[in-house]
Amino acid sequence: MVNIKVLDKGSVELMSNTSDGDLLVVNAARCSFDKAHKNFAINDTKLINYLAKHKHLLPFRHPSATIRIVAPLFVLRQLGKHQVGFSWSEVSRRYIKSEPEFYIPEQWRKAAANVKQGSEGIVEDEHYTSMARYKMSIGGSLDDYHRLLDYGVCAEQARMVLPQSMYTTTVTTGTLLGWHHMYTQRTDPHTQLETQEYAKAIGKIMEELFPVSWEALCQQPS
């Protein structure tokens, strides 16, 4: 199975998928005429391109892929805004007390001057003051988390002190169309760069699984 590293400790990993891929798309489309093909043919590529171009999108809802995503909380919350066509299961720190891991960026970006969100350029941090403060904050939160557990506080409340940079894991099942919608939205230049990295990695997996359908969908204007 495909496993792509993202950021410093994150990843996207293919767990399972619809085995007949692009063929399922065209057979779903042909269902209206009570027809189906056993093998993918050249004409099937033309049909998929036609479906995508003219927004006949229902056939693209039938194939699916299940991906294991290891990502910081703030990234996952952006990816998780896409609910149509998806089912999400996530690690719950209500039940586990294993040592949390945190995303450590390689550099800090400046706030964008022309928009309320986003970033541009790099913050000069010659003395690593920003990084030191960030790591200090994480260390303090982690220490508080362990202290609360030692005091007998339940895990579901102690977790409240952990920062958004903490890594979590999900198993996410989505339709081909659902993954494409997430991909187009989260590779937009206005999306946070860390989230774009995950969307691009997911796109690589989907391109490999459904090469004809993925190309046809990506060629259409958003």
Side-chain angles (χ1 to χ4, degrees), residues 46-57 60 220:
K46 295 180 180 179
L47 175 56
I48 286 177
N49 288 330
Y50 177 87
L51 294 171
K53 180 178 180 179
H54 295 280
K55 303 297 182 183
H56 299 308
L57 300 178
F60 298 103
Q220 306 311 311

Side-chain angles (χ1 to χ4, degrees), residues 1-6 9-16 65-71 76 79 87-91 96 168-174 179 198 201-202 205:
M1 288 295 182
V2 181
N3 191 331
I4 302 175
K5 184 179 183 298
V6 188
K9 305 180 187 73
S11 62
V12 293
E13 177 186 4
L14 177 65
M15 299 183 69
S16 66
T66 299
I67 297 178
R68 184 181 182 90
I69 303 172
V70 180
L76 192 65
L79 296 177
S87 296
W88 298 78
S89 298
E90 183 179 350
V91 165
I96 65 170
T168 187
T169 300
T170 70
V171 172
T172 304
T173 300
W179 285 117
Y198 277 87
I202 290 169
I205 291 176

Side-chain angles (χ1 to χ4, degrees), residues 44-178:
D44 292 333
T45 297
K46 295 180 180 179
L47 175 56
I48 286 177
N49 288 330
Y50 177 87
L51 294 171
K53 180 178 180 179
H54 295 280
K55 303 297 182 183
H56 299 308
L57 300 178
L58 179 59
F60 298 103
R61 294 184 184 274
H62 291 281
S64 64
T66 299
I67 297 178
R68 184 181 182 90
I69 303 172
V70 180
L73 282 170
F74 69 89
V75 169
L76 192 65
R77 295 303 169 252
Q78 286 192 317
L79 296 177
K81 289 181 179 180
H82 304 276
Q83 295 294 327
V84 177
F86 287 95
S87 296
W88 298 78
S89 298
E90 183 179 350
V91 165
S92 176
R93 299 205 72 84
R94 293 183 64 194
Y95 310 126
I96 65 170
K97 300 178 183 178
S98 57
E99 190 74 359
E101 290 192 297
F102 303 93
Y103 168 53
I104 307 296
E106 292 184 358
Q107 56 194 12
W108 298 105
R109 300 187 298 275
K110 296 179 180 179
N114 60 340
V115 292
K116 294 182 179 179
Q117 61 183 6
S119 59
E120 57 183 12
I122 304 300
V123 173
E124 298 296 334
D125 194 19
E126 295 180 0
H127 302 290
Y128 303 100
T129 305
S130 301
M131 186 61 69
R133 184 169 292 276
Y134 175 66
K135 291 182 177 180
M136 186 183 304
S137 176
I138 289 176
S141 296
L142 187 58
D143 183 59
D144 289 338
Y145 173 70
H146 287 304
R147 286 180 181 273
L148 288 170
L149 292 177
D150 291 342
Y151 294 157
V153 174
C154 59
E156 65 183 23
Q157 287 185 305
R159 62 179 175 164
M160 294 189 294
V161 302
L162 295 172
Q164 293 189 57
S165 59
M166 181 183 69
Y167 274 94
T168 187
T169 300
T170 70
V171 172
T172 304
T173 300
T175 65
L176 167 60
L177 188 61

